[in-house]
Amino acid sequence: MNSFEKVCNDKGLRITHQRSEIFRILASNLTHPTVENIFNKVREDLKTISIDTVYRTIATFEEYGLVKRVQLDNITRYDINLSLHHHLICSNCKKIEDFYWPDFDKMQLPNTIPGWGKVDMKQVIINGLCHQCKKLKK
Ligand SMILES: [Zn+2]
Ligand SMILES: [Zn+2]
C-alpha cells in the first residue's frame, strides 16, 4: 500500500478512496484479474461504484505505470507484477501463475524476426496442469 501512495505522490496522481480500494484489490491475492473480477470484488465495499469507474481507474493506473495489461487465455487481464516475467496457465482450473526465466529474456530472437517488424515484448506462456489439478486427475 505504501508503494501505491508513493507512486501516486511521485507521479502526481490524486489518491481517492476508490483508487485506493481498486489498487488494494489489484495487489491482493487475486492474480491477473479482469476488470469484471475487480468490479465484483470492489462492489462488496463500495456498493455504488460502476463498472465504468473501474474501467477508467484501471486505465489511469495503466497510464501511470501502476499495472500492466496482459492478454492471457484470450482475456484482457491486469498484472501488478511489473517485473519481466512469464506465465503458467492451468488448462483445468485456469489459474495463472508468474514465473521467471532470465535465460530466455537474455536470448537473441531468431534472425527472421527483425525482418518481420518491430518487437515490443517477448513473453512465454506455458499451458498445462497445475500441481493440484494433476493430483486430482490421477
Ligand atoms: Zn489447475
Ligand atoms: Zn503475471
Side-chain angles (χ1 to χ4, degrees):
M1 206 60 219
N2 279 334
S3 87
F4 173 66
E5 277 151 19
K6 191 180 178 308
V7 171
C8 288
N9 284 329
D10 288 352
K11 301 192 176 188
L13 180 67
R14 202 158 55 87
I15 300 168
T16 64
H17 183 56
Q18 281 183 342
R19 282 177 180 162
S20 301
E21 282 299 297
I22 292 171
F23 190 81
R24 193 177 55 78
I25 288 162
L26 270 163
S28 71
N29 53 7
L30 199 72
T31 72
H32 309 89
T34 62
V35 169
E36 285 79 7
N37 293 153
I38 296 161
F39 173 62
N40 287 329
K41 200 87 184 133
V42 77
R43 210 160 42 156
E44 292 172 10
D45 292 319
L46 304 174
K47 306 239 182 298
T48 56
I49 198 164
S50 71
I51 193 153
D52 282 348
T53 304
V54 178
Y55 267 107
R56 261 186 285 117
T57 305
I58 291 169
T60 305
F61 286 171
E62 207 189 332
E63 210 183 296
Y64 280 79
L66 286 158
V67 286
K68 224 169 42 180
R69 189 201 312 218
V70 282
Q71 195 76 26
L72 296 171
D73 240 2
N74 286 321
I75 297 169
T76 303
R77 300 172 173 281
Y78 291 86
D79 204 337
I80 200 76
N81 182 354
L82 300 175
S83 50
L84 186 56
H85 69 278
H86 307 280
H87 293 107
L88 297 159
I89 304 179
C90 176
S91 46
N92 185 53
C93 69
K94 308 290 177 197
K95 191 168 72 188
I96 302 168
E97 275 180 60
D98 293 342
F99 76 97
Y100 296 89
W101 194 358
D103 286 340
F104 172 84
D105 300 334
K106 274 182 258 159
M107 223 154 61
Q108 287 271 308
L109 289 168
N111 292 332
T112 47
I113 306 291
W116 163 82
K118 182 183 159 292
V119 174
D120 291 326
M121 64 161 181
K122 55 180 178 55
Q123 204 190 51
V124 178
I125 292 173
I126 293 181
N127 296 97
L129 277 182
C130 74
H131 187 67
Q132 276 149 352
C133 293
K134 201 179 128 215
K135 252 199 318 212
L136 288 173
K137 292 245 157 140
K138 259 185 198 160

